[in-house]
Amino acid sequence: MTLGFRSFVAGALMLGALSISATAARAADIVDTAVGAGQFKTLVAAAKAAGVVPVLKSKGPFTVFAPTDAAFAALPPGTVEDLLKPKNRGKLAAILKYHVIPGAVKAGDVAGKKLSVKTAQGQKVDVDGTMFGVQVNDAHVVQADIVASNGVIHVIDKVLLPPAKAPKHH
């Protein structure tokens, strides 16, 4: 199963669904939860541009580390606009998939633990639950455990960028 930018955007939106009641959040999927939150407009736009919305609306379950609009705004000027161009759809999808892990993982599941978890993009993120709160790579979870019908959203304060893959030597 392949996840893309839309999945990432949908996840970010769900994490921002602070004003949605627990019952409403459980009834909506990750994408609808993110849209309803209002602070994941960039993530949702990216997910649509990358074609990953159908995956994020699928059964799952998924855990999405969803960057807020402010997290996207903190990227270097022009980065988001460049990623949204059709020619960069694959790159955008890879970035979004890097924000998604299979399964529904709540903050309590990682409390007191340090884990390296494979993302839908194929590379791993480091999850550290040994500090106050949870950190994913260098991003902090600012709102955890937003439950959707097909997974969990954790709102993060930075956009996660996958590390450059080392060239293969022949």
Side-chain angles (χ1 to χ4, degrees):
M1 168 176 354
T2 305
L3 298 177
F5 184 72
R6 289 184 183 167
S7 296
F8 179 70
V9 170
L13 292 177
M14 289 186 73
L15 287 178
L18 305 178
S19 64
I20 295 178
S21 73
T23 302
R26 282 189 202 100
D29 63 36
I30 289 174
V31 175
D32 293 339
T33 301
V35 169
Q39 66 175 341
F40 301 107
K41 291 179 179 80
T42 305
L43 180 58
V44 172
K48 288 178 181 176
V52 300
V53 168
V55 173
L56 291 178
K57 286 182 130 327
S58 69
K59 184 176 178 180
F62 308 107
T63 297
V64 178
F65 300 111
T68 62
D69 290 337
F72 278 101
L75 291 171
T79 301
V80 172
E81 294 78 6
D82 192 52
L83 286 171
L84 291 174
K85 293 179 181 174
K87 69 176 183 175
N88 292 324
R89 182 178 174 151
K91 184 176 183 179
L92 180 59
I95 291 170
L96 292 179
K97 290 177 188 179
Y98 190 63
H99 290 77
V100 179
I101 59 173
V105 181
K106 293 190 174 184
D109 297 333
V110 299
K113 301 176 185 172
K114 285 188 178 186
L115 307 166
S116 183
V117 184
K118 189 173 183 178
T119 68
Q121 179 260 0
Q123 290 180 287
K124 294 183 177 184
V125 291
D126 293 321
V127 178
D128 185 348
T130 63
M131 310 295 279
F132 293 104
V134 176
Q135 191 167 324
V136 181
N137 289 353
D138 63 344
H140 294 87
V141 174
V142 296
Q143 174 69 29
D145 298 344
I146 297 171
V147 178
S149 63
N150 62 344
V152 179
I153 296 172
H154 301 289
V155 181
I156 56 174
D157 63 356
K158 290 185 179 178
V159 175
L160 304 174
L161 298 174
K165 293 182 180 177
K168 294 182 180 178
H169 297 294
H170 292 26

